[in-house]
Amino acid sequence: MMVQKGTILIADDEPDIVSFMQQYLEDEGYDVITAYNGYEVLKRVEDSPDLIILDVMMPGMDGLSVCSTIRERVHCPILLLTARTTDRDKVQGFAAGADDYIVKPFGMEVLMARIEAHLRREQRGKRPIRQTSFGEVTIDYLRREVYIAHQMLSLTPKEFDVIQLLSLSPGQVFTRDQIYERVWGYDAIGDDTTVTEHVKRIRQKLSKETPKSYIETVWGVGYKWGLNARR
C-alpha cells in the first residue's frame, strides 16, 4: 500500500490538464483535490492542502486574484501555472503571494521536482529552532510567527523564510542571489526579482506596525537584518 505524501490542490479550467496532472500525482503517492475555476478554489482550500497548483488564466476569477485572496489565510506553497513569460508577469505573480512560477508547457518531471522541493522546505521549516527579539519585534522560529508588540503579522511561508534567514545572522549582508538560493533552493527556476518583491511585501507589513526599519538595503549588494534594531 502506497503511503500518501500529502495533499495537492490542482486548479485549472482545462479538464484534460487537470486529469493528466491528477493521475500523475496520484501515481506518485499524493492525494489530489481538483478545482476548475477560481471560485471553486476558494471553497477547496478549506480542505487544507499541503500545496496548491494554480493556473493564472482561468475565466471569471483569474489565478492572480485567487492567489491574492487566499494568501493571507493559506500558508502552504502556491505554484502558479502560466504561458506568460515576461518579468512583469512574474512580478505580478510574486506580488500576489505566489511561491513559484511555472511556465507552460512544462514536463511533469520538472513539476514534480518543484513540488517536492517546496514540500521539503516546508518540512525543514517545521523543525524547532528558537525564539528571539529585536526591539519590539519577536520572532518565534518554532511556530514560524512574527510579532510586533504582541500583534502577529500575517506572513506567507516564503516571507517568513526570508525574515528567518536574515534575522538569524543580524548584520550579515546577503546578496539577492544568496537569499534566493537559500530560501527557494538551487533547484528553483527564477531570479532575484522574487527576492525584491518578497522584501517589499515584508517591509509593507512591518511598516503598518512600527516605523523602524529592520531589513536594510545594502545598495548594489543585497539586504541585511539591521544590528541597530536589537535592544
Side-chain angles (χ1 to χ4, degrees):
M1 181 177 179
M2 182 176 292
V3 177
Q4 290 293 339
K5 297 179 179 179
T7 301
I8 296 177
L9 168 58
I10 301 173
D12 196 304
D13 64 314
E14 298 186 43
D16 289 345
I17 292 178
V18 172
S19 178
F20 177 73
M21 287 195 293
Q22 179 179 8
Q23 184 62 57
Y24 191 98
L25 291 171
E26 287 178 344
D27 287 346
E28 291 293 323
Y30 291 94
D31 188 20
V32 177
I33 305 170
T34 60
Y36 299 92
N37 59 63
Y39 300 106
E40 287 186 6
V41 177
L42 300 184
K43 297 177 181 179
R44 301 315 300 268
V45 294
E46 301 301 327
D47 295 326
S48 301
D50 298 298
L51 182 141
I52 299 172
I53 300 173
L54 187 61
D55 182 50
V56 171
M57 299 297 292
M58 290 188 293
M61 190 176 190
D62 65 35
L64 292 178
S65 298
V66 174
C67 185
S68 179
T69 299
I70 68 175
R71 183 71 280 183
E72 295 302 324
R73 58 191 176 97
V74 171
H75 299 291
C76 69
I78 298 177
L79 282 59
L80 290 181
L81 298 180
T82 181
R84 297 175 175 177
T85 60
T86 68
D87 287 343
R88 178 178 176 80
D89 292 321
K90 293 179 181 179
V91 168
Q92 289 178 334
F94 292 125
D99 297 287
D100 207 346
Y101 200 95
I102 301 174
V103 178
K104 296 179 177 180
F106 55 87
M108 284 304 298
E109 294 82 2
V110 172
L111 179 61
M112 266 315 307
R114 303 280 276 277
I115 289 171
E116 291 178 347
H118 280 285
L119 292 178
R120 283 198 303 271
R121 281 190 284 276
E122 288 296 296
Q123 289 301 314
R124 287 201 297 268
K126 295 177 181 177
R127 294 177 181 176
I129 310 178
R130 66 179 185 272
Q131 182 183 98
T132 190
S133 295
F134 299 88
E136 70 269 60
V137 173
T138 298
I139 304 172
D140 189 325
Y141 300 108
L142 175 59
R143 296 180 179 274
R144 293 176 60 81
E145 296 172 347
V146 177
Y147 296 85
I148 298 181
H150 306 294
Q151 178 66 39
M152 187 176 74
L153 297 185
S154 180
L155 300 169
T156 69
K158 289 296 179 287
E159 288 169 359
F160 181 85
D161 289 341
V162 171
I163 290 177
Q164 176 174 281
L165 173 65
L166 298 179
S167 65
L168 285 175
S169 302
Q172 179 178 339
V173 179
F174 291 86
T175 68
R176 291 174 179 81
D177 286 341
Q178 286 174 326
I179 296 171
Y180 187 83
E181 289 172 355
R182 297 194 187 191
V183 172
W184 279 266
Y186 292 97
D187 50 357
I189 299 175
D191 53 41
D192 60 12
T193 301
T194 309
V195 176
T196 302
E197 286 302 313
H198 277 69
V199 169
K200 178 181 177 181
R201 294 208 314 264
I202 293 168
R203 283 173 164 167
Q204 289 173 341
K205 293 178 180 181
L206 288 170
S207 68
K208 291 179 180 179
E209 306 295 336
T210 176
K212 185 177 292 186
S213 176
Y214 286 87
I215 298 180
E216 300 179 5
T217 299
V218 181
W219 296 107
V221 183
Y223 303 101
K224 68 176 180 179
W225 191 266
L227 285 171
N228 62 354
R230 185 190 291 275
R231 283 179 182 169

